[in-house]
């Protein structure tokens, strides 16, 4: 994943947690904090972050053009930036990629079974689910039944 795509992912995941609201009077402080969060939650005093504000602003522009962000201005001049429906879907896909099932030190002797029935008309969704189950370490028992020991 390239640097721009990583910044896009981080913006979407941060906005998945909530919206960003700012007013012209406080905007510089809000953006400074947002850049700090994108840089990993900290800034070193003597070294610069690898993420520049210009790069983040380019990503915001891209996200706005791609209809992944929703901007709402209130009568008092505050601007709320949140995810659009499409943006929320994209952010949740990123979260899905990060799912991991923790393995206990000792197995309890139980197998977990997932059984699903997705019609042929939704084959792409069915194949995507199989892909994620395989990625998580599930073993196929049948095409629509998967088992996992943890």
């Amino acid at each position: 994943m390239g640097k721009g795509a990583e910044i896009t992912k981080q913006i979407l995941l941060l906005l998945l947690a909530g919206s960003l609201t700012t007013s012209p009077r406080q905007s510089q402080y809000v953006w400074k904090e947002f850049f700090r969060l994108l840089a990993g939650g900290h800034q070193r005093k003597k070294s610069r972050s690898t993420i520049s504000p210009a790069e983040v602003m380019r990503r915001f522009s891209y996200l706005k053009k791609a209809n992944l962000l929703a901007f709402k201005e209130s009568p008092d001049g505050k601007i709320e930036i949140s995810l659009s429906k499409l943006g929320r879907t994209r952010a949740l896909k990123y979260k899905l990629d990060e799912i991991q099932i923790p393995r206990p030190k000792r197995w309890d002797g139980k197998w977990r079974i997932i059984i699903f029935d997705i019609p042929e008309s939704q084959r792409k969704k069915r194949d995507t689910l199989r892909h994620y189950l395989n990625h998580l370490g599930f073993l196929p028992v049948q095409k629509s039944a998967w088992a996992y020991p943890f």
Side-chain angles (χ1 to χ4, degrees), residues 3-4 7-8 11 20 22 27-28 30-32 34-35 38 51-65 69 71 79 81:
K3 191 174 189 177
I7 294 170
T8 299
I11 291 171
L20 173 67
T22 184
S27 64
Q28 65 181 347
V30 171
W31 288 112
K32 184 177 178 182
F34 196 77
F35 296 141
L38 284 174
I51 301 172
S52 73
E55 288 177 279
V56 174
M57 297 313 284
R58 278 193 296 275
R59 289 285 115 189
F60 264 99
S61 178
Y62 161 76
L63 291 169
K64 184 178 180 182
K65 288 177 187 173
L69 297 181
F71 291 81
I79 300 170
I81 305 169

Side-chain angles (χ1 to χ4, degrees), residues 15-116:
L15 289 174
L16 184 62
S19 62
L20 173 67
T21 304
T22 184
S23 67
R25 218 172 111 200
Q26 70 178 154
S27 64
Q28 65 181 347
Y29 303 107
V30 171
W31 288 112
K32 184 177 178 182
E33 183 66 16
F34 196 77
F35 296 141
R36 187 184 68 75
L37 288 170
L38 284 174
H42 65 282
Q43 284 184 344
R44 296 182 184 143
K45 291 181 181 179
K46 293 187 179 181
S47 67
R48 294 181 55 192
S49 169
T50 58
I51 301 172
S52 73
E55 288 177 279
V56 174
M57 297 313 284
R58 278 193 296 275
R59 289 285 115 189
F60 264 99
S61 178
Y62 161 76
L63 291 169
K64 184 178 180 182
K65 288 177 187 173
N67 293 321
L68 298 173
L69 297 181
F71 291 81
K72 198 184 304 180
E73 188 172 355
S74 64
D76 62 352
K78 289 186 178 179
I79 300 170
E80 180 181 350
I81 305 169
S82 59
L83 295 176
S84 66
K85 187 175 180 179
L86 185 61
R88 187 168 186 75
T89 301
R90 173 88 57 92
L92 289 172
K93 283 182 183 177
Y94 286 132
K95 292 298 279 182
L96 189 59
D97 289 340
E98 296 175 1
I99 292 175
Q100 292 182 350
I101 300 174
R103 291 180 174 218
K105 291 181 180 179
R106 194 166 167 219
W107 185 40
D108 62 4
K110 297 178 183 178
W111 282 82
R112 279 65 177 180
I113 306 286
I114 292 181
I115 300 172
F116 58 90

Side-chain angles (χ1 to χ4, degrees), residues 127-140:
D127 291 342
T128 301
L129 177 59
R130 283 191 195 127
H131 168 76
Y132 281 114
L133 290 174
N134 188 40
H135 173 73
L136 289 171
F138 279 80
L139 303 170

